[in-house]
Amino acid sequence: MSKHAGIPLTYSEEVLEALRAGDPVVALESNVITHGLPYPDNAATAAKVEAAVRAGGAVPATIGIDAGRLVVGMSGTDIERFATASGVPKVSSRDMPVVLARGGMGATTVASSLIAAELAGIPFFTSAGIGGVHRGAQTTMDVSSDLIQFTRSKVAVVCAGAKSILDLGLTMEYLETQCVPLISYRSDDFPAFYCASSGIRSPHRLDDERTIARVVENHWAAGNDSSVLITTPPREEDAVDRGEAEEAIAEALAAAERDGVRGNAITKYLMRAVDKATGGRTSEANMAVLVSTAEVGGRLAAAHAHHLRESGHVPEGNRSV
Ligand code: PSU
Ligand code: MN
């Protein structure tokens, strides 16, 4: 429907209209659909996540790659197709130009979804657990591209912290070194995805949505072309006990080592192994935290759009396009 900077983008009608009007839009990843959860949980959760963004007051834009184009706002049919197709590749930033050139379907991670969001002019993105520094990265050098992409994409990212399978201390060090602002919304600690706290204190707690909108704008006004990370913890009733999760993670890490799993397959492998060890508890929690985070993402995006309007910002769509 519209083109941008040489990369063909296909917007849904609803997303395009919202962007033109300066209404809040929240971008969502699709790798969690193809690689995060099994069918039919993946499709059902994707629908609930979109509904939660709406409940928060914004329009959802699930991002994917299809036939050489970036899809910005998948339809229900698209989501069902991605949820049931087998062999859809996980597409991170480095894979994106290849998959776009070759054609076919591609499931975007946090990192590549941020590239799409920025190209599309969407200032907010949400997902439950971002990638980060893997445990043992001192020798494997496995650091998720999600973190590097935060230093390159001008998008506010709302999440429930980083996945519990990661080294959260090192992940936070990396974010600090790379000058990525980190704010925790209505909590003191950096959350650990489906665990309420990582045990690490967040550098900043903010309880007010307007102040968060101002932080995002301040970061960009200061000349940074990078992300702002905003965390929100899982709801108490959805959270998994940290001790229980840690035990399962230790088992999963040992199994991964034994099976020689590495590279971009390790995240999915570990998540599945932890889920098996907890008798499905963690994937239940994963689905719940995806939905609750999306609701907060919608709310913060709405507050941001409101803030822009109040400060006299003219939506991009009204300038040219
Ligand atoms: N597997 C899951 N859930 C996920 C992901 C994989 O069970 O959410 C994804 C997200 O898309 C995230 C990516 O951006 O894993 C990070 O992968 P890596 O650590 O390889 O960068
Ligand atoms: Mn990796």
Side-chain angles (χ1 to χ4, degrees), residues 134 142-143 263:
H134 283 260
D142 193 348
V143 176

Side-chain angles (χ1 to χ4, degrees), residues 134 142-145 263-264 266-267:
H134 283 260
D142 193 348
V143 176
S144 173
S145 297
N264 75 350
I266 191 120
T267 302

Side-chain angles (χ1 to χ4, degrees), residues 11-63:
Y11 292 88
S12 73
E13 202 73 55
E14 187 191 14
V15 168
L16 196 58
E17 268 173 34
L19 289 172
R20 288 203 168 128
D23 291 338
V25 178
V26 174
L28 301 160
E29 61 158 312
S30 50
N31 184 62
V32 67
I33 301 173
T34 57
H35 291 69
L37 296 162
Y39 186 79
D41 287 346
N42 55 358
T45 305
K48 283 186 199 160
V49 162
E50 292 205 341
V53 168
R54 290 182 200 283
V59 171
T62 302
I63 308 282

